[in-house]
Amino acid sequence: MYYRQYYVSPIGRLSLVAGEEVLYGIWLKGQNHFQSGFKEEELADTSNPILEVTKKWLQAYFKGENPSPDDLPLAERGTAFQQRVWLALSEIPMGQIRTYGQIGKAISCRSAQAVGTAVSKNPWLILIPCHRVLPSSGHLGNYAAGEYAKRFLLRLEGLRFAKP
């Protein structure tokens, strides 16, 4: 059984999906790859302990705190390559950024495009900080949840970017 709860955040309505023991994802309503891998009829709109801990984590994050993602048990998802990329993302400290090229170098992948594709399919929005990855040009770049959300999250973490 999969449980879903919505969390109203400053960037919009987040869908949180969990099982009995793990968190499967956090998605912004309308983002690319929204609730990827789940059908509506599989989701029970009710809470469970994993979702309650996730909501507390999000509350702390949006207050500007730096809660540890290690507090949340994540489901094993994605390909081996995606998992390597997502692990590299999880190691980016709050308030810092990396480029797709730097992530690629860290995981021994020469294709920034392949890294970007894996980043865009990250199912744990905010928790695994894909918003902290920018193109080497220094521009804000794309974000599965949209430019407003990426800009908001980076500002919350103390980073500022001028409009292009």
Side-chain angles (χ1 to χ4, degrees), residues 69-140:
D70 296 337
D71 295 342
L72 295 167
L74 304 185
E76 193 165 306
R77 301 196 65 191
T79 66
F81 177 73
Q82 288 170 333
Q83 290 176 16
R84 287 186 9 238
V85 170
W86 299 339
L87 178 61
L89 298 180
S90 70
E91 295 170 353
I92 304 171
M94 185 175 194
Q96 293 186 25
I97 57 170
R98 300 288 184 273
T99 66
Y100 294 101
Q102 288 172 317
I103 298 295
K105 187 174 181 181
I107 64 166
S108 301
C109 174
R110 294 183 186 181
S111 173
Q113 184 176 5
V115 169
T117 298
V119 168
S120 75
K121 293 183 178 179
N122 167 26
W124 299 284
L125 189 74
I126 305 166
L127 182 66
I128 302 295
C130 47
H131 60 280
R132 296 179 190 154
V133 183
L134 303 176
S136 58
S137 66
H139 291 92
L140 197 59

Side-chain angles (χ1 to χ4, degrees), residues 10 12 14 27 30 41 48 52 62 65 67-68 73 77 124 127 136 141 146:
L14 300 174
W27 297 272
E41 59 271 12
N48 78 352
E52 292 303 315
F62 284 115
E65 297 172 16
S68 174
R77 301 196 65 191
W124 299 284
L127 182 66
S136 58

